[in-house]
Amino acid sequence: MKTVSFALAAGAALVLGTGAATAADFYKGKKVTVFITSGSGGSVDLMGRLGARHLGKHLPGNPTVLAKNKTGAGGLVGANYIYNQAPKDGTELGSSLNSIPFAPLFYGKKSKAKFDPNKFNWIGSPVKFVAVSIAWHTSKIKKWQDLRKHTTVVGSSGMGSSSTVDGFVMNNLMGFKYKVIIGYPSGSDIDLAMIRGETEGRVTTAWAGITSRHPDWLTDKKVTLLYQMGLERYPGVPASVPLIIDAVEDPMKKAALKLKMAAYDVGYPIYAPPGTPAERVATLRKGYADTFASKELLAEAKKARVDIAPLSGEKVAGIVAEAYAAPQNVQELLRAAIRPPGKLDKAKTVRIAGVIKAVKKKGRLEVSAGAGTAKMRVGKKTKIKINGKKAKRSALKAGMMCDIDYFGEGGQAKNISCK
C-alpha cells in the first residue's frame, strides 16, 4: 500500500506553541461531528468513518469525534448544511463525494448547491477517488466499446451523484448508451440491484469499494472492468483496464471530459464552513495530516484493503480553484453534456405483508412473507410507523405484523408500517 506524507500548510505553525494551547482549551471536552454526505455502505462512508475514528487522538484536547450520515440530493443536502448552517468553529465538518465541490460548475444556475466551493475551508482528503466502470458478468457488455452498441441499465442514488452525472457525460461525449435509474438509497443498494439483475453494471464505482468490500468480484470474475476514470492511470488498477480519456479524439470534448475528470483528483474531500477561524482550520489540517499518517489508521486501512495517499487542504483548494478558472466554452460544453435527457426512471420498491421473524444487528430484519423469508435493512431514512404513529428502529420487534416497501432482497426498507 503506497503512503504519501500529507503536505502541511505553512499556516499550520499557528497551532504550535500558544496556538496549540488555545486549540487544546477549545477542543477539550468538545464533540466534533463529521457529516458524511452519502449513504452507508459506499466508499465515501468507508473513508469518512475511517478518518473520524482516529481524528480525536490527533487534535489538541482530544475531543470526541462522531461520524454521521447526512444524505440527500446526491450529497448536496449535507454540503449545503455545512456551508450555511453548521457552526463556524471547527466542531462540524463535511466529508463528501468528489463531485460535490464541482456541482455549481457542472450545473450552473440549475445547481441545487447553496455554496461557493472556493469559500469552503478545505481540510484535506485521504486519497484521490480512483473509479472504474464495471459490468456484471451476466451482461452482454464485455468491453467499453460495447457501451456504444447496447443500452446498459445502471443504478444511481440521485441527480447529483457521480453515477448519474458520469452517465450523462459519457453518453454525450463518448456516444455511450447508459440508462440511469435513480433513487437507490445507498451504494450497497446499487450493488445489490446489479447482483439481483435489475441493473447491468455501474457507471462509476470506487476501486477502493471493490477491493475492500467485494474482492471476490475480481478473483471470481463477477465483474468486467470496462475503463478507468480520472486524468492518470492508477497503479493499483490492472494495466489492461484503459483510461477512458485516452480514447477521446475531439479536442473540445476531451477538454470538457478533462474538466469532469478533475473532480476525481480531490478524492473524498473534508471541509469546514466558511468563516471558520484560520487557526482552527490550521489545527484541523494538521490533525487530519497526523491522522492519515498514524500507524493505527494505516493498519486499519491495510486490513480494509484501501490505499491512503493524502492530499492537503491547500492541494484540494487549488484543484477546485483551477477547475472554476477553465474557459467558459469548455464549461458550457460540459454542462450541456451533463444535462438530463428527460425524466429519469426511479428505482422501484417491493411491497410485502408479513411477520417480523427476527431483528438482527445493524437494523437487519427477517420477515416471513408467503412461503419464504425476506431480508432487508432498516436505514436512517426508513419511515417507520407502529399503530399509525411514527416510531424508531428500536421499536421493531419479532412477531409484529407489518406492511413493508423495500429495495429488493437485502436492500434498505423505504416504509414499514406495523401493528
Side-chain angles (χ1 to χ4, degrees):
M1 179 174 64
K2 183 179 178 182
T3 304
V4 179
S5 297
F6 204 103
L8 300 179
L14 291 172
V15 303
L16 302 177
T18 302
T22 302
D25 291 341
F26 174 78
Y27 277 114
K28 186 175 181 179
K30 290 284 199 313
K31 180 178 73 174
V32 175
T33 303
V34 179
F35 287 101
I36 300 169
T37 69
S38 72
S40 60
S43 63
V44 178
D45 186 62
L46 170 69
M47 290 298 194
R49 290 182 180 276
L50 178 63
R53 277 195 292 272
H54 297 270
L55 178 61
K57 293 177 288 186
H58 301 283
L59 286 177
N62 304 124
T64 299
V65 179
L66 301 176
K68 293 184 178 181
N69 296 89
K70 195 173 186 65
T71 62
L76 290 176
V77 169
N80 287 340
Y81 170 80
I82 295 297
Y83 190 89
N84 296 291
Q85 296 174 261
K88 303 179 187 303
D89 61 358
T91 59
E92 292 190 358
L93 309 174
S95 177
S96 284
L97 298 163
N98 65 86
S99 59
I100 292 303
F102 300 88
L105 186 152
F106 293 165
Y107 294 102
K109 294 179 180 179
K110 294 183 179 180
S111 172
K112 292 183 179 180
K114 306 297 182 184
F115 55 79
D116 179 345
N118 286 306
K119 292 183 179 179
F120 271 127
N121 285 292
W122 299 103
I123 305 303
S125 177
V127 68
K128 291 182 178 182
F129 187 93
V130 181
V132 293
S133 178
I134 61 174
W136 195 242
H137 65 95
T138 56
S139 171
K140 64 181 71 173
I141 306 299
K142 302 302 179 185
K143 55 186 178 180
W144 71 262
Q145 290 89 342
D146 293 336
L147 294 166
R148 288 173 168 164
K149 302 175 183 177
H150 307 289
T151 298
T152 307
V153 180
V154 292
S156 183
S157 58
M159 291 298 293
S161 73
S162 295
S163 292
T164 304
V165 173
D166 288 352
F168 298 159
V169 169
M170 302 310 287
N171 285 353
N172 288 310
L173 297 182
M174 294 295 295
F176 294 171
K177 296 182 178 181
Y178 283 123
K179 180 180 179 181
V180 182
I181 309 297
I182 64 171
Y184 291 99
S186 71
S188 59
D189 285 288
I190 297 172
D191 288 340
L192 286 169
M194 178 179 65
I195 294 169
R196 293 193 301 261
E198 295 171 17
T199 62
E200 299 172 72
R202 294 194 63 169
V203 179
T204 301
T205 190
W207 179 246
I210 295 177
T211 58
S212 64
R213 295 184 290 111
H214 303 294
D216 60 302
W217 286 4
L218 301 174
T219 57
D220 298 343
K221 297 183 179 179
K222 293 181 179 179
V223 297
T224 301
L225 302 174
L226 300 174
Y227 56 84
Q228 182 178 341
M229 311 293 274
L231 298 175
E232 298 177 348
R233 290 180 179 274
Y234 185 71
V237 178
S240 59
V241 182
L243 188 69
I244 195 62
I245 199 166
D246 290 342
V248 187
E249 297 180 355
D250 182 276
M252 276 293 291
K253 289 183 177 180
K254 190 162 191 172
L257 192 57
K258 279 186 174 181
L259 186 57
K260 175 65 183 72
M261 295 299 174
Y264 289 99
D265 281 2
V266 304
Y268 305 83
I270 303 150
Y271 48 97
T276 303
E279 65 273 14
R280 202 79 36 85
V281 173
T283 297
L284 289 166
R285 285 177 171 175
K286 185 179 186 303
Y288 261 108
D290 294 342
T291 296
F292 291 133
S294 68
K295 292 181 180 179
E296 295 84 1
L297 181 140
L298 293 175
E300 186 178 346
K302 184 176 181 180
K303 186 176 181 181
R305 302 186 187 93
V306 296
D307 288 346
I308 299 297
L311 291 80
S312 69
E314 293 86 350
K315 178 67 173 179
V316 173
I319 294 171
V320 172
E322 184 176 355
Y324 279 86
Q328 194 62 36
N329 61 340
V330 175
Q331 293 189 32
E332 289 174 358
L333 178 59
L334 180 59
R335 288 184 193 127
I338 289 172
R339 192 171 298 128
K343 187 177 181 180
L344 300 183
D345 291 340
K346 292 187 177 181
K348 296 180 180 179
T349 57
V350 177
R351 170 162 284 195
I352 61 169
V355 178
I356 296 179
K357 183 178 179 181
V359 180
K360 298 191 173 184
K361 293 181 179 179
K362 297 182 179 180
R364 297 187 179 275
L365 296 183
E366 291 186 359
V367 179
S368 296
T373 299
K375 297 180 180 180
M376 65 205 65
R377 305 186 321 276
V378 182
K380 292 184 177 180
K381 297 183 72 174
T382 302
K383 296 179 180 179
I384 303 171
K385 286 186 177 181
I386 297 178
N387 294 321
K389 297 182 179 180
K390 290 183 180 180
K392 294 183 179 180
R393 186 173 72 183
S394 58
L396 296 172
K397 306 294 181 183
M400 286 183 171
M401 174 65 73
C402 305
D403 292 319
I404 301 173
D405 291 316
Y406 70 112
F407 288 93
E409 186 65 13
Q412 185 169 305
K414 182 177 182 180
N415 299 297
I416 300 178
S417 179
C418 302
K419 296 180 180 179

